[in-house]
Amino acid sequence: MQQLHLVGVTTDNGHLIFSTRKGAKSGGFLVPLDEQLVQTLGDALERRKDAGDDVDVPEILASEPPAPRPERPQSLLTPREIQARLRAGRTVAQVAREAAVGEDWIGRFAAPVLAEQRRIVDAVLDRVYDKPRRGPSAEPLRLAVRWNLADRGIRLTDDEYSDRWSAFNVTASRWGLVFEFVSRKRVHRAEWEIELTDGVLLARNRLASDLGYVEPGRRRRPVLTPAPGAAPAPAGEPDGAAPARATRTRRATTKRPAGAKKAAPAKKTAAKNAGPTKKATTKKATTKKATTKK
């Protein structure tokens, strides 16, 4: 059974948002916040209290009236305008400055937008990028970018890789997809665009075209993720591959005693010893020939 973690509540206070990742700021699961859910939670807490568990009953389930809400800040933007700017790709901090309110206030309206953007990202990552004059990639976008990052020596954990993806709305049915990473102390941004009606995925810059394509028949490179707290691999070295370093082997030498003569090589000594023998043999053969002639 899969475990879900609470992210927040929708802007209309009608649903709870859950995610499969603990501490996530967006999620793809919605649960209606109705009377049945509230009653079920109340019964579960009461049973835990009867069992001796030290449980704090939330205000929504308590019998006492809830505390009065804090005064609403004077935002320069309506909730609909706030969500429209978030869907267009602006950050919570940027919208907060534009609305002249705190980021906590903007965050109340950000949860459903972030959940929508996460669903778009997950759907697009399963698409295959068709590179002009090269054809379709051998792998979907999710794996293609991971492999090409490994070739560039960029190592990311699964959570880091997932957090670097984001989406923004261009038109009603057109969305942009962004992947950002740091290499050589520079932030690099790859952008794609997809039309949801036909599912065609296009690259908006050259980096996106390079990262999104894997040559058919290319051998898969193992993608290794760094251990928690480990230093990242130097940029430019392939992931999981150590650079080859040449090593020098010194020739073993034997120190001669002072005054000792250098020994002649074995081959030269043998040739020198064999020289007189061969000459003597030749001279003997000549003498024998002369005697025979006489």
Side-chain angles (χ1 to χ4, degrees):
M1 183 177 296
Q2 190 174 21
Q3 183 178 4
L4 300 179
H5 302 275
L6 180 64
V7 176
V9 64
T10 56
T11 55
D12 58 359
N13 297 321
H15 293 79
L16 295 177
I17 304 174
F18 292 87
S19 172
T20 57
R21 294 172 50 207
K22 187 175 182 181
K25 297 182 179 179
S26 62
F29 298 89
L30 297 178
V31 176
L33 187 57
D34 51 18
E35 294 183 1
Q36 181 180 1
L37 176 62
V38 174
Q39 182 64 38
T40 303
L41 292 176
D43 294 342
L45 292 175
E46 289 296 333
R47 288 194 295 269
R48 290 182 60 181
K49 289 177 63 178
D50 294 341
D53 295 342
D54 187 11
V55 179
D56 294 331
V57 180
E59 293 180 353
I60 192 174
L61 302 176
S63 57
E64 295 82 4
R69 287 187 174 184
E71 185 179 354
R72 177 175 178 175
Q74 296 297 322
S75 173
L76 299 180
L77 299 175
T78 65
R80 179 172 295 181
E81 292 173 335
I82 290 173
Q83 292 185 335
R85 283 163 170 76
L86 293 173
R87 293 178 82 245
R90 300 188 187 181
T91 64
V92 172
Q94 291 172 339
V95 178
R97 287 194 297 268
E98 189 175 352
V101 294
E103 295 185 18
D104 293 341
W105 176 256
I106 303 299
R108 298 181 58 182
F109 309 100
V113 177
L114 295 176
E116 180 185 20
Q117 292 172 332
R118 188 71 249 175
R119 289 195 296 270
I120 295 295
V121 169
D122 291 339
V124 177
L125 288 182
D126 292 331
R127 299 278 183 176
V128 173
Y129 170 61
D130 195 338
K131 190 171 184 177
R133 294 179 294 181
R134 302 292 293 275
S137 171
E139 297 293 339
L141 191 63
R142 186 190 311 274
L143 287 179
V145 174
R146 198 80 187 257
W147 289 15
N148 287 311
L149 287 177
D151 286 343
R152 295 168 180 249
I154 300 170
R155 303 170 58 191
L156 299 173
T157 64
D158 292 340
D159 289 343
E160 290 173 342
Y161 181 72
S162 177
D163 291 341
R164 279 164 171 73
W165 289 97
S166 61
F168 61 93
N169 185 242
V170 181
T171 61
S173 60
R174 185 176 293 273
W175 282 80
L177 196 70
V178 178
F179 181 81
E180 289 187 341
F181 63 96
V182 178
S183 177
R184 302 183 185 276
K185 299 181 180 180
R186 290 179 52 194
V187 178
H188 301 265
R189 181 183 175 96
E191 292 189 12
W192 296 264
E193 190 171 300
I194 187 170
E195 176 65 45
L196 298 182
T197 56
D198 54 18
V200 176
L201 181 63
L202 303 174
R204 301 184 70 175
N205 56 14
R206 182 174 179 178
L207 180 59
S209 179
D210 293 340
L211 292 181
Y213 180 78
V214 173
E215 189 76 26
R218 168 181 162 186
R219 184 177 180 182
R220 178 172 181 175
R221 175 186 295 277
V223 179
L224 303 179
T225 56
E237 293 184 6
D239 185 19
R245 293 179 174 87
T247 57
R248 295 182 178 178
T249 305
R250 294 186 176 181
R251 185 179 301 174
T253 57
T254 305
K255 189 175 181 180
R256 298 196 306 271
K261 294 184 178 180
K262 184 177 179 181
K267 291 184 178 180
K268 291 184 177 181
T269 303
K272 185 176 181 180
N273 295 335
T277 304
K278 185 176 181 180
K279 187 175 182 181
T281 305
T282 306
K283 186 177 181 181
K284 184 177 180 182
T286 304
T287 305
K288 184 177 180 181
K289 184 178 181 181
T291 305
T292 305
K293 186 175 181 181
K294 184 179 178 182

